[in-house]
């Protein structure tokens, strides 16, 4: 639903309709985190990882938190 909502907000073809948005808003549907919120969440996870392990070398295929492993790899690639 979030992806379809994003398409609708960008005036692109979407299965989302305004009545559906209104219905979901009535139950206080969470449309997702901002990019800043998502970045902060991964950063906080990295800080917790460092507190547990003493380092920030999260493997890209970290089984305990795949998203964190990918995020750390992406941060490294952007540097």
């Amino acid at each position: 639903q979030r992806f379809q909502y994003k398409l609708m907000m960008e005036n692109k073809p979407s299965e989302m309709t305004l009545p559906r948005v209104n219905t979901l808003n009535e139950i206080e549907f969470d449309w997702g985190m901002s990019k800043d919120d998502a970045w902060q969440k991964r950063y906080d996870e990295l800080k917790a990882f460092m507190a547990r392990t003493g380092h920030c070398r999260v493997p890209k295929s970290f089984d305990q938190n795949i998203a964190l492993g990918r995020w750390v790899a992406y941060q490294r690639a952007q540097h």
Side-chain angles (χ1 to χ4, degrees), residues 54-65:
H55 62 81
C56 292
R57 295 181 305 275
V58 183
K60 187 174 182 179
S61 57
F62 183 50
D63 290 339
Q64 296 173 13
N65 188 337

Side-chain angles (χ1 to χ4, degrees), residues 20 41 48 55 69 73 79:
R20 286 181 181 180
K41 178 182 180 194
H55 62 81
H79 182 45

Side-chain angles (χ1 to χ4, degrees), residues 29-70:
F29 182 76
D30 180 5
W31 291 101
M33 290 188 237
S34 72
K35 288 185 180 184
D36 288 339
D37 291 342
W39 191 94
Q40 185 66 47
K41 178 182 180 194
R42 295 291 174 243
Y43 175 75
D44 291 341
E45 291 173 353
L46 179 60
K47 285 189 340 185
F49 178 90
M50 185 178 149
R52 283 191 316 274
T53 65
H55 62 81
C56 292
R57 295 181 305 275
V58 183
K60 187 174 182 179
S61 57
F62 183 50
D63 290 339
Q64 296 173 13
N65 188 337
I66 293 169
L68 178 60
R70 289 179 183 161

